[in-house]
Amino acid sequence: FGAGEICTRDFEAFALGAALIKPDMEHLCTYPDWYVKDETYISVDWDFSNFGEILDEINRDCEKHQAIAENAQRLVRKYRTDNVGKQEFVEHVLKSIEAI
């Protein structure tokens, strides 16, 4: 996967308000759901065959892609700084442990 399927740089991009362009992550389940295509990241084909098209689309509709970056940034803030988000995360982990 090169830079990693999930890596620190993803969360750095989210936290800093950058629009993350990443190979399609629909095969992966995370909690929270960090990788929501066209909501929290911009999906590109795994072989990057549509990378040029994606860049053209970003240039044509910067507002849409800025909104994607802002959505991801809000999600990071919720689970890193918001007490409600932190509590939700802890409860999810505890439920997961109980299920084992």
Side-chain angles (χ1 to χ4, degrees):
F1 292 100
E5 193 167 12
I6 298 177
C7 66
T8 305
R9 287 164 299 286
D10 294 352
F11 299 98
E12 290 169 348
F14 292 156
L16 295 172
L20 178 66
I21 302 172
K22 187 169 184 81
D24 188 82
M25 297 292 282
E26 290 186 346
H27 66 285
L28 195 67
C29 179
T30 65
Y31 183 87
D33 194 358
W34 296 110
Y35 302 100
V36 181
K37 184 177 180 177
D38 295 328
E39 287 185 37
T40 60
Y41 83 106
I42 301 161
S43 175
V44 65
D45 291 341
W46 276 91
D47 64 1
F48 282 80
S49 61
N50 67 337
F51 188 64
E53 296 168 32
I54 296 296
L55 293 180
D56 289 342
E57 181 185 325
I58 291 169
N59 285 325
R60 281 193 307 274
D61 194 353
C62 290
E63 289 180 13
K64 172 186 172 185
H65 296 90
Q66 182 170 344
I68 291 170
E70 290 170 355
N71 288 339
Q73 189 176 47
R74 273 191 296 278
L75 191 61
V76 167
R77 284 186 185 146
K78 176 179 178 178
Y79 288 97
R80 291 203 35 102
T81 62
D82 183 275
N83 287 334
V84 172
K86 289 178 186 180
Q87 185 63 37
E88 285 177 17
F89 186 81
V90 168
E91 289 172 6
H92 176 78
V93 170
L94 292 175
K95 285 179 186 174
S96 296
I97 292 170
E98 289 174 0
I100 295 177

